[in-house]
Amino acid sequence: MVKNPPVIGRLAILGIGLIGSSVSRAARQYGAAGEVVAYDPDAGRLATALELSAIDRAATSIADAVADADMVLICAPVGAMGGIAAAAAPAMRPGAILSDVGSTKTSVVADVAPHVPAGIHFVPAHPVAGTEKSGPEHGFATLFDGRWCILTPPSIEGADAGAVDLCTRFWRAMGSNVDVMTPEHHDTVLAITSHLPHLISYTIVGTVMDLEEHHHWEVFKYAAGGFRDFSRLAGSDPVMWRDVFLNNRDAVLEMLGRFTEDLQALQRAIRWGEADKLEALFTRTRDARRAIIEARQA
Amino acid sequence: MVKNPPVIGRLAILGIGLIGSSVSRAARQYGAAGEVVAYDPDAGRLATALELSAIDRAATSIADAVADADMVLICAPVGAMGGIAAAAAPAMRPGAILSDVGSTKTSVVADVAPHVPAGIHFVPAHPVAGTEKSGPEHGFATLFDGRWCILTPPSIEGADAGAVDLCTRFWRAMGSNVDVMTPEHHDTVLAITSHLPHLISYTIVGTVMDLEEHHHWEVFKYAAGGFRDFSRLAGSDPVMWRDVFLNNRDAVLEMLGRFTEDLQALQRAIRWGEADKLEALFTRTRDARRAIIEARQA
Ligand SMILES: NC(=O)c1ccc[n+]([C@@H]2O[C@H](COP(=O)([O-])OP(=O)(O)OC[C@H]3O[C@@H](n4cnc5c(N)ncnc54)[C@H](OP(=O)(O)O)[C@@H]3O)[C@@H](O)[C@H]2O)c1
Ligand SMILES: NC(=O)c1ccc[n+]([C@@H]2O[C@H](COP(=O)([O-])OP(=O)(O)OC[C@H]3O[C@@H](n4cnc5c(N)ncnc54)[C@H](OP(=O)(O)O)[C@@H]3O)[C@@H](O)[C@H]2O)c1
């Protein structure tokens, strides 16, 4: 059996947490990359990743990691990406690709693009896949299988077509479907599909924690009534999510504003016992959800 | 092998939807009841339940269903329970148990208790288990396995101890753990663990439906980012949930008020870029959730 050559020869991963270590495992296992070198400011994490054979080599600095890489993938919280790009880009070899996995895209483009010299191809990416865990010990190779990965080249027309194509093949090799859109569009859609749910989850767990203490246990005891689904996301990494909300502020506030208005309308209907209104709204949302899910055969 | 006699001889189920048909299947399969007779105003549902062998006999009226029953279990939306109890109680045999599965308990006690004659034992119940589906075709026997069932006898001290004990054994036979508490305490705890999550789910799906139509597809396409967990509950039965909100209004409005205040505090922190505040809150909720989950080994 002749094995296909890997899509990317040498991959450098900067930040070896949940996502970084999952990409590393998946890339090596599914032939998306031939070799993975990683750097993380936390030496313990880097050692863990090496012990778990999640990476091939631990680099001693960002410059060391990226020197001979064909692709550099920044897998740190989005607030750190500008600084990391500033250190990485000058040390990269001409023709290499600089990418990331950040959950916000407008801010990443704004923070990273100024540091990208001519000859380096910048293709931001966001794999819409994850768990509420963090750290390299929780990464796994199948995380991206069957999920979407969104690429947001700063100017879709202007981006190097070869680099976008290589990134597409890189993510497809790990089982992902790939979409291309503008960073702004990405941030609007993700504000409602991901960022608002996380915000609500953190809030509702906070609301419970402010109840008297004997209630805490009961809430988790009877969590099968709906709370379980709603509290899972609140286990997610605080630094990652702090950065997401600060870096997609406008879209998150816009969606949160719409959501709050709608919630207040429902609150009013409950207070005034408007039975028909409640039933009509619940019927509409149930039917809409079903129609969309059936159409997608999901 | 000698089979134990069933906990309850003849069980009458009024309302053969998701919960009614699941109790019926479970009760017969696990020896909680010897025979199940059901009544539902929707003749089609009753026929479906019979065809699926989910019940032993379809009754022609409430009085017909309850005549020789040892236990009568009302499995209709909570707003209908008073009327059903008024029709059922006078036709029941002395010494029998009247119970229900309603998701609210203070209102059920207020609506049903006035119709209960001396000699009939009223023991309200709420199995904290369910799905977003409705109707007898979606019921299944293992629904209550490993879940909690909460009993709220109107006055815990005054309730007939034998009847409460029989209900306890009835639910345990179907795999449930049983708790006893006051209706008011039940309604407070369920307002946050179940009713508020459903309210949020209906709201967020409604918010999405008000976006431009091309967004709808994208939202469900990228639902793995968190939205999937949050929209599932919005597929739940509109009539059942209309009744829940109208019948647990005070507790729901109280919890919704706390939640909204907390959400506004977060909104403000995002607007003003208060990074430390966000990280501190997210750390607190993550740690609290983990501690409780670990302590429960859930
Ligand atoms: N988790 C998800 O569900 C998910 C999904 C899609 C995309 N993402 C995105 O993926 C990225 C990483 O998230 P994650 O879940 O993998 O978080 P994580 O498990 O906490 O890992 C982040 C890693 O980045 C490191 N890091 C921080 N500053 C760095 C720097 N200046 N240089 C190099 N590494 C640095 C962290 O090290 P320290 O511990 O020393 O700070 C940590 O090891 C984020 O941008 C996030 O938005 C996450
Ligand atoms: N679903 C859950 O997750 C869950 C969990 C725990 C408890 N509960 C409680 O269980 C009860 C039933 O919910 P469900 O999910 O099983 O709903 P469902 O599938 O919609 O079933 C409700 C059934 O009650 C019938 N019904 C309505 N009015 C009636 C009347 N006057 N007499 C007799 N039957 C009548 C309905 O018939 P029509 O179709 O003709 O109206 C329907 O067949 C509710 O009180 C709910 O709060 C639900």
Side-chain angles (χ1 to χ4, degrees):
Chain A
M1 202 179 89
V2 183
K3 244 183 136 183
N4 284 329
V7 180
I8 301 286
R10 178 177 295 182
L11 172 67
I13 291 186
L14 306 179
I16 194 77
L18 174 78
I19 300 296
S21 71
S22 295
V23 171
S24 180
R25 288 168 203 265
R28 291 156 76 220
Q29 191 159 323
Y30 304 124
E35 189 194 358
V36 179
V37 182
Y39 174 75
D40 197 292
D42 181 336
R45 290 202 157 188
L46 215 43
T48 302
L50 206 54
E51 271 163 37
L52 297 171
S53 300
I55 58 175
D56 293 301
R57 186 167 78 83
T60 54
S61 67
I62 289 181
D64 174 33
V66 308
D68 297 309
D70 301 302
M71 181 192 276
V72 173
L73 195 61
I74 312 179
C75 301
V78 293
M81 289 196 179
I84 296 173
M92 287 172 68
R93 69 155 185 77
I97 292 174
L98 177 61
S99 187
D100 74 289
V101 297
S103 305
T104 68
K105 296 270 65 95
T106 315
S107 75
V108 168
V109 169
D111 293 353
V112 171
H115 302 293
V116 181
I120 300 291
H121 307 294
F122 177 39
V123 185
H126 176 207
V128 186
T131 77
E132 71 280 16
K133 309 269 170 60
S134 58
E137 61 281 19
H138 293 114
F140 55 98
T142 55
L143 181 59
F144 311 105
D145 192 25
R147 302 299 188 189
W148 287 93
C149 182
I150 300 175
L151 305 181
T152 65
S155 147
I156 292 181
E157 299 79 31
D160 182 88
V164 173
D165 180 60
L166 211 58
C167 288
T168 302
R169 290 196 287 128
F170 176 73
W171 286 100
R172 285 207 182 127
M174 298 187 285
S176 291
N177 303 306
V178 175
D179 261 351
V180 177
M181 61 179 72
T182 65
E184 294 74 23
H185 188 73
H186 167 278
D187 284 3
T188 302
V189 173
L190 270 289
I192 183 120
T193 58
S194 177
H195 308 171
L196 186 56
H198 278 81
L199 197 61
I200 291 170
S201 185
Y202 279 123
T203 305
I204 200 168
V205 172
T207 305
V208 167
M209 289 306 131
D210 288 337
L211 297 175
E212 293 163 66
E213 206 173 315
H214 69 270
H215 276 306
H216 302 179
W217 295 90
E218 285 189 309
V219 168
F220 284 85
K221 188 167 168 185
Y222 306 124
F227 190 75
R228 184 168 299 147
D229 283 1
F230 271 62
S231 66
R232 187 182 62 79
L233 300 179
S236 303
D237 190 64
V239 172
M240 169 191 156
W241 282 98
R242 175 201 70 191
D243 278 12
V244 168
F245 295 122
L246 297 178
N247 287 285
N248 194 20
R249 195 181 63 173
D250 294 347
V252 168
L253 289 178
E254 166 66 24
M255 290 303 167
L256 181 55
R258 289 172 183 240
F259 170 79
T260 307
E261 269 177 33
D262 294 346
L263 193 61
Q264 269 157 2
L266 251 180
Q267 180 173 12
R268 202 170 182 287
I270 292 172
R271 193 181 297 286
W272 295 102
E274 298 175 323
D276 295 347
K277 205 172 188 169
L278 293 176
E279 191 181 336
L281 172 73
F282 298 164
T283 304
R284 177 170 167 257
T285 52
R286 182 197 58 182
D287 294 350
R289 185 177 174 275
R290 286 192 184 167
I292 290 177
I293 284 178
E294 274 162 29
R296 297 198 47 234
Q297 279 136 18
Chain B
M1 202 180 88
V2 183
K3 245 183 135 182
N4 285 330
V7 181
I8 301 287
R10 179 177 294 182
L11 172 68
I13 290 185
L14 306 179
I16 194 76
L18 173 78
I19 301 295
S21 72
S22 295
V23 172
S24 180
R25 288 168 203 265
R28 291 156 77 222
Q29 193 159 319
Y30 304 124
E35 190 194 357
V36 178
V37 183
Y39 173 75
D40 196 292
D42 182 335
R45 291 201 155 187
L46 216 43
T48 301
L50 207 54
E51 272 162 36
L52 297 172
S53 300
I55 57 174
D56 294 301
R57 185 167 78 80
T60 54
S61 67
I62 289 180
D64 175 32
V66 308
D68 297 309
D70 301 302
M71 182 193 274
V72 173
L73 196 62
I74 313 179
C75 300
V78 293
M81 290 197 179
I84 296 174
M92 288 173 66
R93 70 155 185 75
I97 292 174
L98 177 62
S99 188
D100 75 290
V101 296
S103 305
T104 68
K105 298 268 64 95
T106 315
S107 75
V108 168
V109 169
D111 294 352
V112 171
H115 302 293
V116 181
I120 300 290
H121 306 296
F122 177 38
V123 185
H126 176 207
V128 186
T131 77
E132 71 281 16
K133 309 269 168 59
S134 57
E137 61 279 20
H138 293 115
F140 55 97
T142 54
L143 181 58
F144 311 106
D145 193 24
R147 301 300 188 189
W148 287 94
C149 181
I150 301 175
L151 305 181
T152 66
S155 149
I156 292 181
E157 298 80 30
D160 183 88
V164 173
D165 179 60
L166 213 58
C167 288
T168 302
R169 289 197 287 129
F170 176 75
W171 286 101
R172 284 206 183 130
M174 298 187 286
S176 291
N177 302 306
V178 175
D179 260 351
V180 177
M181 60 180 71
T182 65
E184 295 73 25
H185 188 73
H186 167 278
D187 284 5
T188 302
V189 173
L190 270 290
I192 184 118
T193 57
S194 177
H195 307 171
L196 186 57
H198 278 82
L199 198 63
I200 291 170
S201 185
Y202 279 122
T203 304
I204 200 168
V205 172
T207 304
V208 167
M209 290 305 131
D210 288 338
L211 297 175
E212 293 164 64
E213 206 172 316
H214 70 268
H215 276 307
H216 302 178
W217 295 90
E218 285 188 308
V219 168
F220 284 85
K221 189 168 167 185
Y222 305 124
F227 190 75
R228 183 168 298 146
D229 283 1
F230 271 62
S231 66
R232 188 182 62 79
L233 300 178
S236 304
D237 190 65
V239 173
M240 170 190 155
W241 282 98
R242 174 202 71 191
D243 278 13
V244 169
F245 294 123
L246 297 178
N247 287 283
N248 195 20
R249 194 181 62 174
D250 294 346
V252 168
L253 290 178
E254 165 67 24
M255 289 303 168
L256 181 54
R258 289 171 184 241
F259 170 78
T260 308
E261 268 176 34
D262 294 346
L263 194 60
Q264 269 157 2
L266 252 179
Q267 181 172 11
R268 202 170 183 285
I270 293 172
R271 191 181 299 285
W272 296 102
E274 298 175 322
D276 294 346
K277 205 173 188 168
L278 293 176
E279 190 182 337
L281 173 72
F282 298 164
T283 304
R284 175 171 168 256
T285 54
R286 183 198 59 182
D287 293 350
R289 183 176 175 275
R290 286 192 183 168
I292 289 177
I293 285 177
E294 274 163 29
R296 295 198 48 235
Q297 278 136 21

